[in-house]
């Protein structure tokens, strides 16, 4: 290698970028040893307001610029690290960096989920790498295993807890009997949930992450829009109580499955057996269970967010890009479209269901409800009436089904709603008979 050092340019100075800058400085000697030459942080592109952040005050002012032109003119930047998130202006920064022959490292899941295919093609065309280990699961190695260690496998399934905020909220609801609003408030007070929690609680963040994992695992492009998505805000303490009594836990899972000719991808709350490994992953932890034809089941678990864990993944990508530069290797294809793989419409998926409804507490009600399920070809595995209110003469009824088509279930729910004896469908949750103890 004839390079004396490898230059890094950082875009953004949020908590992750600030930590990356600190690691590059604090571990400079160890990283130089691992790369074979020093990594030098040459410029940080910031917004004017970033300059008053504590992480900015610890660095020389000459490192910073608020000007895009100055950043991209800076000589000696070999690797651009984008850590601002979102599509705009990040997409332009990526294109500009790649087109000027720089390797790119990012933690930006939305950008990679929506534009990964296009950016990887551009990177290939310009002979540079685009790496995004930190975009899913914070510091947990996930992207690299899919690209390298699991490459000989046909991946049949991914079952993932990939949003720490919602896993924390669900843990509090399950353990402490909290309602959704109080658990969310607690998560916000602890800094686990943002003031506007929509991205996390509505499953948008998990959707982006699943789009990335499924695209890599199935060697195709799974776009966020292809993924069915439901959040956790309609879960109540009743659902957690019945889940526990029936031997299940409730988790927000990102699920992707591959069969011979189609792919299934969805993010929604699910009942999973209480003795499965994923059911025991609590708090802000993330865990991804992958099933491959050769490797069997493997689990990746750890801290899915936070500056320190995320910087572990970003710096790993910087080091791996630097090694490629040192060896003169450009891009390696990570995903590409494979013909003939369609995304299964949600209507066609088949799963078991938990249905909780409120109905009149009188003779023959259960029979009417069972008839609707029967007419739609849905087999009931159990029905319980755990609670009745003698004053209003209503009862809460919980029904578990055998595997049924989503389309049939939606039709049955519509018909149940119209029954005079049914006051409301309080909730319905899909059941995933996930294995792994
Ligand atoms: N908001 C995300 C989570 C962390 O709760 O897991 C960043 O991906």
């Amino acid at each position: 290698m004839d390079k004396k050092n490898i230059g890094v340019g950082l875009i953004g100075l949020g908590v992750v970028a600030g930590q990356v800058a600190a690691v590059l400085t604090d571990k400079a000697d160890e990283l130089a040893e691992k790369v074979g030459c020093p990594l030098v942080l040459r410029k940080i592109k910031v917004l004017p307001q970033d300059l008053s952040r504590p992480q900015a005050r610890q660095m020389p002012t000459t490192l910073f610029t608020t000007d895009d032109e100055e950043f991209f003119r800076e000589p000696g930047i070999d690797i651009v690290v984008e850590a601002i998130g979102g599509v705009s202006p990040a997409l332009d920064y990526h294109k500009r960096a790649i087109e000027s022959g720089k390797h790119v490292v990012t933690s930006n899941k939305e950008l990679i989920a929506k534009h990964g295919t296009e950016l990887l093609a551009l990177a290939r065309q310009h002979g540079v790498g685009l790496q995004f280990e930190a975009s899913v699961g914070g510091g947990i190695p996930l992207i690299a295993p899919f690209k390298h260690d699991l490459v000989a496998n046909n991946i049949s399934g991914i079952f993932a807890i990939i949003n720490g905020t919602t896993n924390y909220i669900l843990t509090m609801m399950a353990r402490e009997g909290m309602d959704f609003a109080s658990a969310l408030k607690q998560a916000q007070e602890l800094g686990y949930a943002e003031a506007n929690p929509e991205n996390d609680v509505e499953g948008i963040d998990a959707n982006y992450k699943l789009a990335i994992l499924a695209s890599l695992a199935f060697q195709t492009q799974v776009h966020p829009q292809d993924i069915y998505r439901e959040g956790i805000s309609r879960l109540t303490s009743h659902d957690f109580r019945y889940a526990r009594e029936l031997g299940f836990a409730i988790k927000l899972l990102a699920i992707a499955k591959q069969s011979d000719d189609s792919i299934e991808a969805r993010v929604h709350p699910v009942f999973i057996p209480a003795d499965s490994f994923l059911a025991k992953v609590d708090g802000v932890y993330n865990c991804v269970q992958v099933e491959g034809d050769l490797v069997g089941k493997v689990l990746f678990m750890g801290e899915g967010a936070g500056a320190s864990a995320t910087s572990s993944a970003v710096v790993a990508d910087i080091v791996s890009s630097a090694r490629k530069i040192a060896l003169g290797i450009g891009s390696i294809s990570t995903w590409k479209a494979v013909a003939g793989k369609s995304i299964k419409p949600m209507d066609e998926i088949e799963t078991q269901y938990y249905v909780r409804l409120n109905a009149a507490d009188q003779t023959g009600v259960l029979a009417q409800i069972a008839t609707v399920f029967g007419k739609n070809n849905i087999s009931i595995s159990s029905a319980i009436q755990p609670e009745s209110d003698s004053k209003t003469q209503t009862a809460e009824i919980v029904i578990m089904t055998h595997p049924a088509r989503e389309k049939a279930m939606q039709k049955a729910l519509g018909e149940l709603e119209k029954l005079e004896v049914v006051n409301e469908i309080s909730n319905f949750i899909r059941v995933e008979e996930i294995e792994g103890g």
Side-chain angles (χ1 to χ4, degrees):
M1 186 186 88
D2 53 5
K3 265 182 104 60
K4 290 201 175 62
N5 56 55
I6 289 171
V8 178
L10 199 52
I11 302 178
L13 197 62
V15 283
V16 171
Q19 183 69 21
V20 169
V23 173
L24 290 177
T25 310
D26 298 347
K27 299 196 173 208
D29 292 343
E30 295 158 57
L31 294 173
E33 185 90 0
K34 286 170 180 163
V35 173
C37 72
L39 289 172
V40 181
L41 182 54
R42 295 214 176 272
K43 216 44 157 187
I44 308 179
K45 158 75 185 69
V46 289
L47 295 171
Q49 58 266 37
D50 290 328
L51 293 168
S52 55
R53 286 175 181 264
Q55 51 267 46
R57 283 190 235 115
Q58 289 153 15
M59 289 181 258
T61 50
T62 49
L63 260 185
F64 298 108
T65 178
T66 55
D67 180 29
D68 289 354
E69 301 312 314
E70 189 185 336
F71 179 81
F72 282 101
R73 263 202 319 268
E74 176 70 28
I77 293 181
D78 304 288
I79 302 166
V80 169
V81 180
E82 178 271 304
I84 54 173
V87 169
S88 179
L91 180 60
D92 289 339
Y93 290 147
H94 277 243
K95 287 183 178 168
R96 198 161 170 184
I98 291 168
E99 281 163 357
S100 53
K102 299 177 198 315
H103 291 244
V104 176
V105 170
T106 187
S107 55
N108 189 336
K109 60 207 145 200
E110 182 179 356
L111 183 73
I112 296 301
K114 292 181 177 169
H115 296 278
T117 309
E118 165 196 351
L119 287 172
L120 284 162
L122 191 67
R124 245 186 331 269
Q125 190 187 328
H126 289 271
V128 293
L130 166 61
Q131 306 217 73
F132 43 91
E133 181 63 67
S135 63
V136 187
I140 309 170
L142 281 168
I143 307 298
F146 275 116
K147 284 199 303 198
H148 304 293
D149 316 84
L150 298 173
V151 83
N153 287 265
N154 284 326
I155 307 292
S156 55
I158 299 171
F159 302 89
I161 294 171
I162 39 175
N163 182 268
T165 307
T166 45
N167 204 45
Y168 179 83
I169 293 171
L170 297 181
T171 303
M172 288 301 119
M173 290 177 81
R175 253 198 228 156
E176 313 290 336
M178 283 178 150
D179 61 24
F180 171 74
S182 318
L184 169 61
K185 190 160 170 280
Q186 188 178 91
Q188 284 169 322
E189 282 162 4
L190 290 168
Y192 296 149
E194 295 184 27
N196 177 356
E198 189 194 352
N199 241 28
D200 292 315
V201 301
E202 295 307 334
I204 299 167
D205 175 82
N207 172 300
Y208 293 151
K209 293 167 176 169
L210 184 64
I212 297 171
L213 291 185
S215 297
L216 276 171
F218 304 148
Q219 283 289 294
T220 186
Q221 188 188 7
V222 178
H223 197 273
Q225 286 163 355
D226 299 329
I227 300 176
Y228 176 83
R229 171 175 63 80
E230 264 176 39
I232 61 166
S233 52
R234 65 184 170 81
L235 299 172
T236 74
S237 54
H238 290 239
D239 301 314
F240 283 89
R241 182 188 135 195
Y242 301 134
R244 194 171 48 247
E245 286 173 9
L246 293 161
F248 292 96
I250 304 178
K251 293 290 180 190
L252 180 72
L253 277 200
I255 300 170
K257 296 180 187 177
Q258 178 173 226
S259 59
D260 288 344
D261 56 357
S262 69
I263 288 168
E264 184 177 320
R266 46 197 166 97
V267 171
H268 53 73
V270 279
F271 271 37
I272 52 174
D275 61 358
S276 62
F277 191 90
L278 285 171
K280 295 171 195 146
V281 176
D282 280 338
V284 291
Y285 274 87
N286 283 193
C287 185
V288 179
Q289 179 168 319
V290 181
E291 299 178 0
D293 60 343
L294 301 176
V295 75
K297 284 185 187 59
V298 280
L299 283 123
F300 301 88
M301 185 177 163
E303 289 179 40
S308 177
T310 309
S311 75
S312 160
V314 173
V315 174
D317 277 351
I318 295 173
V319 167
S320 127
S321 302
R323 284 177 174 150
K324 282 191 201 147
I325 292 168
L327 294 168
I329 301 170
S331 81
I332 296 172
S333 171
T334 43
W335 76 56
K336 57 184 189 307
V338 172
K341 284 269 168 196
S342 59
I343 312 279
K344 212 184 240 188
M346 193 60 187
D347 265 0
E348 285 176 27
I349 72 135
E350 200 173 272
T351 181
Q352 293 161 247
Y353 294 86
Y354 150 96
V355 181
R356 174 167 64 86
L357 49 84
N358 183 282
D361 191 9
Q362 65 193 48
T363 320
V365 169
L366 216 46
Q368 285 188 55
I369 292 169
T371 305
V372 169
F373 281 108
K375 250 179 34 200
N376 285 288
N377 238 343
I378 301 168
S379 162
I380 293 173
S381 64
S382 72
I384 51 171
Q385 184 182 318
E387 269 183 15
S388 53
D389 183 334
S390 55
K391 241 196 271 159
T392 57
Q393 297 213 312
T394 60
E396 183 150 71
I397 297 172
V398 172
I399 291 164
M400 301 295 288
T401 77
H402 286 296
R405 278 273 168 111
E406 176 85 11
K407 191 175 182 179
M409 178 51 77
Q410 294 294 350
K411 188 159 167 280
L413 291 175
E415 289 172 18
L416 284 173
E417 239 165 13
K418 286 193 199 125
L419 287 183
E420 208 160 301
V421 292
V422 171
N423 300 320
E424 68 164 20
I425 310 287
S426 311
N427 216 344
F428 84 100
I429 301 172
R430 299 171 188 89
V431 180
E432 205 64 37
E433 278 299 341
I434 200 165
E435 289 171 38

